């Protein structure tokens, strides 16, 4: 576990995972809320309405760089809750919100911490959100497959008509 003095600023790279596989940084609203167990303070890194606050994605969009500046969270294991706000018009606020808590491998301590300019943390993305989004994709793919099947039926029908037209022409010819 990396030890960081509780009064130090923290630069933390957060990777989003589903079943151990990295996923891209979401392109819809989300929040990473940092805190320590039993503490009363919190520190938010957000992406809302196209604006990043206290964070930014790396160039490859595989991680979010979080900047905990003057956080004063207190002593203990650093925890984070990932709030995902996937757009979904079925909900009155327009978002399907899921919350995923995670313990990070960072301990905020009173004394000297380990020298670690950059710290990497992993946040397990909520699988249900991805499954819900996946259902929408699967439903759309089913619609496309139905159109392809109907087009195939029309092509078959068109080929039969062509053959029959050729046979009629041969008989009449």
């Amino acid at each position: 576990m990396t030890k960081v003095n509780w009064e130090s600023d923290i630069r933390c790279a957060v990777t989003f995972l589903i079943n151990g596989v990295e996923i891209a940084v979401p392109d819809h609203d989300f929040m990473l809320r940092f805190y320590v167990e039993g503490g009363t303070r919190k520190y938010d890194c957000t992406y809302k309405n196209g604006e990043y606050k206290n964070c930014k994605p790396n160039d490859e969009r595989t991680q979010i760089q979080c900047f905990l500046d003057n956080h004063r969270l207190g002593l203990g294991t650093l925890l984070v809750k990932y709030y995902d706000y996937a757009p979904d018009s079925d909900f009155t606020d327009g978002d399907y919100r899921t919350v995923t808590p995670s313990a990070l491998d960072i301990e905020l301590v009173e004394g000297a911490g380990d020298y670690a300019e950059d710290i990497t943390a992993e946040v397990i993305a909520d699988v249900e959100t991805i499954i819900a989004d996946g259902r929408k994709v699967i439903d759309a793919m089913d619609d496309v497959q139905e159109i392809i099947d109907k087009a195939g039926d029309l092509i078959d029908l068109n080929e039969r008509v062509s053959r029959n037209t050729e046979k009629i022409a041969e008989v009449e010819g």
Side-chain angles (χ1 to χ4, degrees), residues 4-55:
V4 176
N5 180 278
W6 75 283
E7 294 179 279
S8 297
D9 291 340
I10 299 172
R11 179 189 316 263
C12 178
V14 175
T15 302
F16 297 88
L17 302 173
I18 295 179
N19 297 329
V21 178
E22 284 186 19
I23 61 169
V25 172
D27 58 1
H28 55 268
D29 293 354
F30 65 86
M31 175 174 62
L32 292 159
R33 174 164 284 166
F34 293 88
Y35 61 102
V36 294
E37 190 168 2
T40 57
R41 295 181 181 260
K42 59 184 175 32
Y43 194 91
D44 294 339
C45 298
T46 60
Y47 177 71
K48 185 170 183 176
N49 299 323
E51 303 260 340
Y52 289 97
K53 182 178 177 188
N54 300 322
C55 63

Side-chain angles (χ1 to χ4, degrees), residues 16 28-35 44 79-86 93 95-103 123-130:
F16 297 88
H28 55 268
D29 293 354
F30 65 86
M31 175 174 62
L32 292 159
R33 174 164 284 166
F34 293 88
Y35 61 102
D44 294 339
L79 306 169
V80 63
K81 281 187 182 175
Y82 170 60
Y83 293 78
D84 186 88
Y85 302 99
D93 64 1
D95 299 321
Y96 176 67
R97 182 184 68 175
T98 56
V99 181
T100 307
S102 295
V123 173
I124 309 303
D126 185 274
V127 177
E128 186 59 33
T129 299
I130 305 305

